[in-house]
Amino acid sequence: DGEGRRLSPRLSVYDLLLRRASARDVIVATASCDLIPASLEDRNLSFIDEALADDPIGKVFRLAETLQPISDDYDYCIIDTPPARSLITYNALVASDGIVAPVCASEFSISGVVDLGDSLAKVRRYSNRDPKILGIVITQYRANTIVARSLDTVIADVAQKLDTRLFDAHIREATAIVESQSVGTDIFDYAPKSAVANDYNRFIDELLEVTTNA
C-alpha cells in the first residue's frame, strides 16, 4: 500500500501525460486506496491525441514514464481504460505488466478482446515491453440463459487463441452494482455480503494467485 495523500483534485492523469505534474502531485487518497483522477472538465482525455501531436514517437510511453517513480510505493497499480484502440489504451498497455480483459455478454465485447491481442502484438513489436494477458473475466453474467451457456464456450476458445485463461469466477449482473455506483461507493462497502461481492472476491483470489505465481 502507498502512503495516503490528499492533493489538489484539479490535477488529473491528463496533467501527467502532458508532464505538467508528477504522479505524487496528482494522487488523491481515499479510505480504501490512492487514486489518480482520469479526467476533469477542463482537462478532458478525449483531447489528449491532439495535445500530444508534436510527440508522435514518445507519446505512448508517457504514462509508463510518469508512474515509474512511484512503482516501489505500491504492490499493485490498476489502470482502467475504455475498450477502444486509442492513445490512452496504448499508454496503459506499455505501462502494464499484466492485463485483465473483462468481457460482457455481447459480440462487440468479445471482438474487443480479439482487438486487444492485435494491440498487444504492436506494443511488443515497437517497444521493449512484453505485457501478458493474465486472463479474461466474464461480467454482467446471467446464469441459466442460452447466451450464458454459449458465451462460456466462445470466450474459452478466444482465451485459448490468446494463450491465456478464462477465470472461473464470473461477475453476475446485479442491481447492487448500479446502486453502488449511483451513490459513489464500491460494492464491498455498499453490499459486502451480496452474491456479486462474493463473485468479485472469488475473482480477486484467482487473480492474486495468478500474479503471485507469475
Side-chain angles (χ1 to χ4, degrees), residues 143-159:
N144 301 320
T145 65
I146 295 176
V147 172
R149 289 193 291 271
S150 62
L151 181 66
D152 281 346
T153 301
V154 173
I155 297 299
D157 183 58
V158 171

Side-chain angles (χ1 to χ4, degrees), residues 76-89:
Y76 293 93
C77 175
I78 301 172
I79 306 170
D80 185 22
T81 69
R85 295 190 186 189
S86 66
L87 177 58
I88 296 300
T89 301

Side-chain angles (χ1 to χ4, degrees), residues 23-98:
R24 288 189 174 89
D25 294 331
V26 181
I27 291 172
V28 176
T30 72
S32 57
C33 63
D34 286 359
L35 299 174
I36 294 179
S39 187
L40 299 168
E41 291 182 5
D42 57 345
R43 295 179 177 86
N44 197 309
L45 284 176
S46 63
F47 302 119
I48 196 64
D49 290 75
E50 180 180 349
L52 295 179
D54 61 345
D55 186 18
I57 297 176
K59 61 185 178 181
V60 297
F61 298 94
R62 293 285 184 109
L63 186 59
E65 292 172 354
T66 57
L67 292 180
Q68 196 281 328
I70 63 169
S71 60
D72 292 336
D73 296 347
Y74 297 89
D75 296 322
Y76 293 93
C77 175
I78 301 172
I79 306 170
D80 185 22
T81 69
R85 295 190 186 189
S86 66
L87 177 58
I88 296 300
T89 301
Y90 280 112
N91 262 272
L93 293 178
V94 170
S96 298
D97 297 312

Side-chain angles (χ1 to χ4, degrees), residues 1-210:
D1 293 333
E3 177 185 356
R5 304 169 183 85
R6 287 195 175 276
L7 299 176
S8 171
R10 299 303 304 166
L11 297 174
S12 73
V13 72
Y14 185 93
D15 299 282
L16 289 186
L17 296 177
L18 291 184
R19 296 174 177 155
R20 294 175 177 173
S22 71
R24 288 189 174 89
D25 294 331
V26 181
I27 291 172
V28 176
T30 72
S32 57
C33 63
D34 286 359
L35 299 174
I36 294 179
S39 187
L40 299 168
E41 291 182 5
D42 57 345
R43 295 179 177 86
N44 197 309
L45 284 176
S46 63
F47 302 119
I48 196 64
D49 290 75
E50 180 180 349
L52 295 179
D54 61 345
D55 186 18
I57 297 176
K59 61 185 178 181
V60 297
F61 298 94
R62 293 285 184 109
L63 186 59
E65 292 172 354
T66 57
L67 292 180
Q68 196 281 328
I70 63 169
S71 60
D72 292 336
D73 296 347
Y74 297 89
D75 296 322
Y76 293 93
C77 175
I78 301 172
I79 306 170
D80 185 22
T81 69
R85 295 190 186 189
S86 66
L87 177 58
I88 296 300
T89 301
Y90 280 112
N91 262 272
L93 293 178
V94 170
S96 298
D97 297 312
I99 296 100
V100 173
V103 176
C104 63
S106 73
E107 182 178 346
F108 178 80
S109 183
I110 296 171
S111 298
V113 177
V114 176
D115 287 343
L116 173 62
D118 295 336
S119 298
L120 278 175
K122 292 181 180 179
V123 168
R124 291 165 180 151
R125 186 180 307 130
Y126 298 113
S127 74
N128 62 350
R129 300 290 295 168
D130 186 22
K132 308 293 185 183
I133 302 180
L134 301 176
I136 300 172
V137 58
I138 298 178
T139 65
Q140 300 179 26
Y141 188 71
R142 288 177 288 179
N144 301 320
T145 65
I146 295 176
V147 172
R149 289 193 291 271
S150 62
L151 181 66
D152 281 346
T153 301
V154 173
I155 297 299
D157 183 58
V158 171
Q160 184 176 21
K161 291 178 180 178
L162 293 176
D163 192 26
T164 190
R165 76 193 67 220
L166 173 60
F167 286 106
D168 291 332
H170 292 7
I171 312 301
R172 74 193 67 203
E173 188 175 61
T175 302
I177 293 291
V178 179
E179 292 174 345
S180 67
Q181 293 171 343
S182 69
V183 297
T185 189
D186 59 65
I187 190 63
F188 301 110
D189 286 332
Y190 183 79
K193 296 182 179 180
S194 63
V196 68
N198 185 56
D199 292 342
Y200 274 109
N201 279 319
R202 288 181 57 232
F203 164 64
I204 292 170
D205 288 341
E206 282 190 82
L207 180 59
L208 289 175
E209 182 178 355
V210 170

